[in-house]
Amino acid sequence: MSPWEFGFLVLAGVGAGLTGSIAGLASLVSYPALLATGLPPVTANVTNTVSLVLNSVGSVSASGPELRGQGRRLLRLAAGAVLGGAAGAALLLLTPSDAFERIVPWLIAGASVALLLQRPPRELAAEGARAHPDHRDPWWLPLGTFAVAVYGGYFGAAAGVMMLAMFLLSTGEGLPRGNALKNVVLGIANAVAAVGFLVLAPVAWSAALPLALGLFVGGRIGPGVVRRAPQTVLRRLIAVAGLGLAVHLAVQAHT
């Protein structure tokens, strides 16, 4: 890997970490950056998942106060995250590479549309607080966590959006605590998938290391940027960019 590509992936990782904080779509930046360095789609996705573990480490390390008192909830949800992350990784490894290339544009397009249509997280949190004033979790929450973790282990773009919305609506927690919970649970799913990929799939370490470094930095500074950034405008820009990327990848996959 050339110095230019190393620096490019570090910057892409920082951008992906920030995008993940703002919109839950880190893979919308990091995955195409890996493709731009010449990696095949499946190898790029595997390398991306391994690198994203450090993004979760960065985010979780800055969320201590928000996680206080959520230990028992995390234990219940961790099982769903572990099983879902493993199932998603297995699904990716069993999917033929040419099929994966054709599926990815649809996943990115769907994630971008979901982001465009998503209600503001603070509105979701307020609705969840009204529906669950006692902060008691519904019985199905571990199953919902499993379902989102399967998608996260397979590809992951917008898994953060889906998981945050589910937690805000079902637990009655506010945005800071719900977001911290999402960071931990999705981080567990990514870590389990990454372990499977380390054993069973090719990881491009020369690309994973600079990307992971950037993701860690982006994850650390992301919460501070989110507090000051115009959320609605940024989310729409990211969603439109995602739709453009989906079209580009779809054309490549069918030519």
Coordinates of all heavy atoms in Angstrom, one line a residue, residues 6 19 37 44 49 92 103 129 148 151 156 165 171 173 178 183 207 222 232 242-243 251:
F6 N -2.5 4.9 2.2 CA -2.6 4.9 3.7 C -3.3 6.1 4.2 O -4.2 6.0 5.0 CB -1.2 4.7 4.2 CG -1.1 4.5 5.7 CD1 -1.0 3.2 6.2 CD2 -1.2 5.5 6.6 CE1 -0.9 3.0 7.6 CE2 -1.1 5.3 8.0 CZ -1.0 4.0 8.5
T19 N -19.6 10.1 10.1 CA -20.8 9.8 9.5 C -21.6 8.8 10.3 O -22.9 8.9 10.4 CB -20.6 9.2 8.1 OG1 -19.8 10.1 7.3 CG2 -21.9 8.8 7.4
T37 N -9.4 1.5 -3.3 CA -8.0 1.1 -3.2 C -7.8 -0.2 -4.0 O -6.7 -0.7 -4.0 CB -7.6 0.8 -1.8 OG1 -8.3 -0.2 -1.2 CG2 -7.8 2.1 -0.9
A44 N -13.4 -6.3 0.7 CA -13.6 -4.9 1.3 C -14.6 -5.0 2.4 O -14.4 -4.3 3.4 CB -14.1 -4.0 0.1
T49 N -15.7 -4.6 8.2 CA -16.2 -5.0 9.5 C -15.2 -5.1 10.6 O -15.4 -4.7 11.7 CB -16.9 -6.4 9.3 OG1 -18.0 -6.2 8.3 CG2 -17.5 -6.9 10.6
L92 N -22.7 -13.9 5.0 CA -21.8 -13.3 4.1 C -20.8 -14.3 3.5 O -20.6 -14.3 2.3 CB -21.0 -12.2 4.7 CG -19.9 -11.5 3.9 CD1 -20.6 -10.8 2.7 CD2 -19.0 -10.6 4.7
I103 N -26.2 -7.5 -4.6 CA -27.1 -7.2 -3.4 C -26.7 -5.9 -2.8 O -27.6 -5.1 -2.4 CB -27.0 -8.3 -2.4 CG1 -27.6 -9.6 -2.9 CG2 -27.7 -7.9 -1.1 CD1 -27.4 -10.8 -2.1
A129 N -40.4 7.7 25.5 CA -40.5 8.0 26.9 C -42.0 8.0 27.3 O -42.4 7.6 28.4 CB -39.9 9.4 27.1
V148 N -31.4 -7.2 13.9 CA -30.6 -6.1 13.4 C -29.1 -6.5 13.3 O -28.4 -6.1 12.4 CB -30.8 -4.8 14.2 CG1 -29.9 -3.7 13.7 CG2 -32.2 -4.4 14.2
Y151 N -28.1 -8.4 10.2 CA -27.9 -7.4 9.1 C -26.5 -6.7 9.3 O -25.8 -6.5 8.4 CB -29.0 -6.4 9.0 CG -28.7 -5.3 8.0 CD1 -28.6 -5.6 6.6 CD2 -28.5 -4.0 8.4 CE1 -28.3 -4.6 5.7 CE2 -28.3 -3.0 7.5 CZ -28.2 -3.3 6.1 OH -27.9 -2.3 5.2
G156 N -24.2 -4.1 7.2 CA -24.1 -3.1 8.3 C -24.6 -1.7 8.0 O -24.8 -0.9 8.9
A165 N -33.2 3.6 16.5 CA -34.7 3.8 16.5 C -35.4 2.8 17.4 O -36.3 3.1 18.1 CB -35.2 3.8 15.1
T171 N -37.5 1.4 24.8 CA -37.0 1.4 26.2 C -37.4 2.6 27.0 O -37.3 2.6 28.2 CB -35.4 1.4 26.2 OG1 -34.9 2.6 25.6 CG2 -34.9 0.2 25.4
E173 N -35.7 5.3 27.1 CA -34.5 6.1 27.4 C -34.4 7.3 26.5 O -34.9 7.3 25.3 CB -33.3 5.2 27.2 CG -33.2 4.0 28.2 CD -33.0 4.4 29.6 OE1 -32.8 5.7 29.9 OE2 -32.9 3.5 30.5
G178 N -29.8 6.0 24.9 CA -30.1 5.1 23.8 C -29.0 4.9 22.8 O -28.7 3.8 22.3
N183 N -24.3 1.8 20.6 CA -22.9 1.7 20.3 C -22.3 0.4 20.8 O -21.5 -0.3 20.2 CB -22.1 2.9 20.8 CG -22.4 4.2 20.1 OD1 -22.8 4.1 18.9 ND2 -22.2 5.3 20.7
A207 N -4.9 -2.4 4.5 CA -6.0 -1.5 4.5 C -6.8 -1.3 5.8 O -7.2 -0.2 6.1 CB -7.0 -1.9 3.3
G222 N -16.7 12.1 17.2 CA -18.0 12.2 16.7 C -19.1 12.8 17.6 O -19.8 13.7 17.2
T232 N -30.3 17.7 10.4 CA -31.2 17.4 9.3 C -30.5 17.6 8.0 O -30.6 16.7 7.1 CB -32.4 18.3 9.4 OG1 -33.1 18.1 10.6 CG2 -33.4 18.0 8.2
G242 N -25.5 8.5 -0.6 CA -25.6 7.1 -0.6 C -26.4 6.6 -1.8 O -26.1 5.5 -2.4
L243 N -27.5 7.3 -2.2 CA -28.2 6.9 -3.4 C -27.4 7.0 -4.6 O -27.4 6.1 -5.5 CB -29.5 7.8 -3.5 CG -30.6 7.6 -2.5 CD1 -31.6 8.6 -2.6 CD2 -31.2 6.2 -2.6
V251 N -24.5 -0.1 -11.5 CA -24.0 0.0 -12.8 C -22.7 -0.9 -13.0 O -22.6 -1.7 -13.9 CB -23.7 1.4 -13.3 CG1 -23.0 1.4 -14.6 CG2 -25.0 2.2 -13.4

